[in-house]
Amino acid sequence: MNRRGWRAALMVVIASLSMADGSGQVRDGSTGTDTPPGQQCAALQTAKSLPNPTTSITSAVLNASAAERPAANAFAPPTPALPEHCEIIGRINERAGINGQRYAINFRLRLPATWNGRFFFQGGGGSNGAIGNALGALQGQQPAVALTLGYAVVSQDSGHDNMVNNDPARGGTTTFGFDPQARLDFGYNSYDQVTLVSKKIIRQYYGRAPVRSYYVGCSEGGREGLMMSQRFPDYFDGILACSPGLRLPRAAVAEAWDSQAFAAAARAANLTDANNQPLINKSFSDEDLRLVSNAVLDACDRLDGVTDGMVQSFSACTTAVVEPTLSALTCAGAKTDSCLSRAQVTALKTVFGGARTSSGEMAYAGWAWDAGIGGKIADTYNQGWRSWKLGAYSAPGNSAINLTLGASALATIFVTPPAATSSTGMPAAAYALAFDVNGYRRALSNTAEMYRESALDFMKADSTDLSAFKSHGGKLMIAHGVSDPIFSILDTINWWSDVNTANGGRASRFVRLFAVPGMNHCSGGPSTDQFDAFGALVNWVEKGTAPDRLTATARATTPWPGRTRPLCAYPAQARYTGSGSIDSARNFICR
């Protein structure tokens, strides 16, 4: 064996013994071969014996290391510096679907020249349909990416392509909801297939399997992580599920319920368009939302022992506690910028109380009262709640994500059989506004003809039986914004409590939940939304150090740039010690 061969063998041993430091960075070596990297990468295009024989590698290219590139626009982050790596693009199960649509599970896999021996699956978002960049976002607004830290990273489109599978007469980018197999690929099958293929390619390229595997995502990607822990429990050692769509079909019903409540407020104020459709985006002005946010703070800010513009004791901030401050804000006469109409207050109480049938059955959880509903109008940090629930006030018509993506997904993906709604105009919004919540259970659990699995089945991620994941040694971390406008943290808490009960009160040994007061969906809001949950997860998996708290920082656009707070493992909450700066996490404890 030559010197390079001995070095490669030594690095294999180092890889099996290496452990992560507090940042998640780990040490390891290379591919362990004398073949030039470019040739070795290109050879993957003809990779053999892959788990799914339909897999085809369409591209395998060695990319040189690259310096950081500036952001393309004000809303995008810069592209971080990237190491030399082999980039593979492939597809699985290319096929003809219904209505002449062509489908495939497309994936992108990046293999760094200096590998840390770990695998990182980057979760998707929304209704997916995009292959993703496979850089490995760590969540928590962390500037680093997994690829730079040495992880082999994969991303995928979950079995449909928004550019190809897009029929304007059938929901646009949610067209795939009409294809039975595409539904299953989106729900669970594509993640299984891509994991197996990725691990096989990694083994062929480096000459060994990953010593650890991680799944990381937010929103739909968070749902995917929870689903993997339940349906494929031995695939991943650590899962970080942020703002997860735990019961996504039910959440889509709640979106319709919320829109109907805000529509009632709009109609009460005679806010309708030329087609007599309620202008939900104008049912609350930015000034109105600021009034609501301040009312919540007036009622609940002090409950955690310090008045600091944050509601740490959100579980104690109930409608009964907030109602007096809302009543005090209710207009005695005509609506002004300093008061809320009775119809607006009614809409808020209807929404925050949760979607339910006329008999009182909860179709989805209620919502936590929190300051993230509004904030400083001049800044953008408060717009996440409004974007989902209401849409931009200045828009000429309804633009809420609940009435676009949410309504289209409800009609085409979650209801069986799917309903055709055009992606032009506002028919999806009309569908949501007319949706009968009383029939939600049948709509979501129904099967029909070729649709053999209901949405509640193929999207399922809320099982409380995580025994196989636990036995595998898996660790699951969840971070969820208290002001998340699309997936309620109360729903996530209810699920965690059920898991805890199923594990005899000891679920925290392998599942931990971290609430982020003020944070909207995945980020934003008047919050401390920058935190290293992934580094904590790696330490838990590889060093056995279970995280009791994460230190989080507020971004520059919040009222308190640079403020730090502990995010506490639920049910603990941050409490001020009584001395020192209220802008420093060191002066807070978790209890």
Side-chain angles (χ1 to χ4, degrees):
M1 183 180 294
N2 60 27
R3 179 175 299 177
R4 184 170 181 177
W6 279 110
R7 180 181 181 276
L10 177 61
M11 294 311 293
V12 172
V13 175
I14 292 174
S16 66
L17 297 176
S18 62
M19 298 296 283
D21 62 23
S23 66
Q25 177 66 65
V26 282
R27 302 179 302 277
D28 185 40
S30 58
T31 61
T33 177
D34 290 324
T35 304
Q39 292 182 25
Q40 187 185 4
C41 178
L44 291 175
Q45 195 157 347
T46 56
K48 306 295 184 183
S49 303
L50 296 178
N52 188 321
T54 70
T55 305
S56 63
I57 306 301
T58 59
S59 174
V61 178
L62 186 69
N63 294 323
S65 59
E68 179 179 318
R69 288 178 290 168
N73 55 62
F75 302 99
T79 300
L82 300 178
E84 180 184 88
H85 66 278
C86 178
E87 179 183 6
I88 300 104
I89 296 177
R91 62 184 50 169
I92 304 169
N93 194 26
E94 185 173 7
R95 61 187 175 84
I98 67 171
N99 302 321
Q101 297 275 326
R102 296 289 301 179
Y103 287 93
I105 301 169
N106 296 288
F107 66 93
R108 186 195 308 272
L109 175 63
R110 297 185 192 267
L111 306 173
T114 301
W115 183 44
N116 67 17
R118 276 87 175 150
F119 172 51
F120 186 108
F121 199 128
Q122 174 181 305
S127 59
N128 288 343
I131 194 172
N133 60 22
L135 298 181
L138 305 180
Q139 300 303 319
Q141 306 304 297
Q142 295 301 293
V145 292
L147 182 66
T148 301
L149 298 178
Y151 290 81
V153 183
V154 74
S155 60
Q156 55 108 41
D157 65 5
S158 79
H160 62 275
D161 184 338
N162 289 341
M163 301 301 291
V164 176
N165 308 121
N166 190 327
D167 182 350
R170 294 172 177 265
T173 58
T174 59
T175 295
F176 73 92
F178 285 85
D179 187 277
Q181 184 58 47
R183 283 185 165 205
L184 306 188
D185 287 343
F186 176 61
Y188 60 87
N189 182 59
S190 65
Y191 320 102
D192 171 33
Q193 298 297 315
V194 171
T195 299
L196 295 176
V197 166
S198 297
K199 288 187 176 183
K200 182 68 172 184
I201 293 174
I202 288 170
R203 178 184 284 274
Q204 290 187 6
Y205 188 67
Y206 293 112
R208 60 191 185 278
V211 294
R212 297 291 186 185
S213 296
Y214 297 91
Y215 201 108
V216 177
C218 192
S219 190
E220 158 58 21
R223 182 202 70 87
E224 294 162 13
L226 294 180
M227 178 276 297
M228 295 299 285
S229 73
Q230 298 159 26
R231 198 181 284 262
F232 307 105
D234 60 346
Y235 282 12
F236 293 93
D237 303 291
I239 294 173
L240 174 58
C242 295
S243 304
L246 175 65
R247 297 182 177 95
L248 212 159
R250 288 175 178 256
V253 170
E255 289 179 307
W257 168 272
D258 293 353
S259 296
Q260 291 171 19
F262 290 129
R267 289 194 182 281
N270 296 314
L271 296 169
T272 58
D273 63 14
N275 298 315
N276 199 36
Q277 187 173 75
L279 291 171
I280 291 172
N281 62 316
K282 298 191 185 300
S283 62
F284 284 78
S285 68
D286 287 347
E287 290 82 0
D288 293 336
L289 294 185
R290 182 171 56 178
L291 289 176
V292 178
S293 179
N294 288 337
V296 173
L297 289 173
D298 288 346
C300 302
D301 191 351
R302 63 183 180 276
L303 296 179
D304 55 25
V306 61
T307 302
D308 58 356
M310 304 180 80
V311 180
Q312 301 288 345
S313 297
F314 63 89
S315 57
C317 189
T318 62
T319 297
V321 173
V322 174
E323 192 165 23
T325 58
L326 289 178
S327 296
L329 278 176
T330 304
C331 304
K335 171 74 174 76
T336 69
D337 286 346
S338 61
C339 65
L340 299 174
S341 71
R342 293 187 182 278
Q344 287 177 314
V345 173
T346 297
L348 288 171
K349 291 166 65 175
T350 299
V351 167
F352 278 81
R356 65 188 67 209
T357 67
S358 56
S359 65
E361 178 190 353
M362 295 296 293
Y364 189 66
W367 304 85
W369 292 94
D370 194 32
I373 191 173
K376 292 168 63 177
I377 297 171
D379 289 333
T380 59
Y381 73 79
N382 70 316
Q383 294 302 302
W385 196 93
R386 159 158 230 125
S387 296
W388 282 96
K389 298 282 194 187
L390 303 172
Y393 186 83
S394 59
N398 288 319
S399 61
I401 304 175
N402 280 6
L403 288 174
T404 52
L405 173 62
S408 182
L410 176 62
T412 60
I413 306 172
F414 304 137
V415 169
T416 304
T421 59
S422 173
S423 60
T424 59
M426 293 302 292
Y431 178 90
L433 293 176
F435 186 84
D436 184 3
V437 175
N438 287 316
Y440 88 93
R441 187 176 291 279
R442 182 178 186 278
L444 302 185
S445 62
N446 195 35
T447 58
E449 300 175 349
M450 57 185 170
Y451 304 103
R452 297 181 179 179
E453 292 188 39
S454 73
L456 293 182
D457 288 332
F458 69 76
M459 292 296 291
K460 187 172 179 58
D462 61 350
S463 172
T464 58
D465 182 6
L466 276 68
S467 56
F469 182 71
K470 175 184 175 183
S471 297
H472 169 66
K475 300 294 185 287
L476 171 62
M477 284 180 60
I478 303 168
H480 201 148
V482 178
S483 284
D484 190 324
I486 176 172
F487 302 131
S488 171
I489 190 171
L490 299 185
D491 192 41
T492 301
I493 287 174
N494 290 341
W495 173 80
W496 185 93
S497 297
D498 290 342
V499 172
N500 193 40
T501 299
N503 285 272
R506 297 184 293 274
S508 62
R509 293 183 178 181
F510 70 103
V511 184
R512 297 209 171 187
L513 166 63
F514 295 84
V516 189
M519 191 173 84
N520 294 151
H521 187 55
C522 295
S523 65
S527 65
T528 52
D529 68 347
Q530 301 175 84
F531 49 88
D532 185 14
F534 180 68
L537 175 64
V538 172
N539 276 337
W540 193 10
V541 169
E542 303 191 18
K543 292 185 176 179
T545 306
D548 292 321
R549 57 187 273 167
L550 307 174
T551 299
T553 305
R555 65 175 73 202
T557 53
T558 65
W560 351 266
R563 167 183 282 183
T564 59
R565 277 286 183 278
L567 305 180
C568 304
Y570 184 84
Q573 297 174 342
R575 292 289 186 271
Y576 182 51
T577 60
S579 62
S581 171
I582 62 170
D583 289 325
S584 175
R586 69 169 58 95
N587 299 318
F588 288 77
I589 59 173
C590 290
R591 71 179 184 197

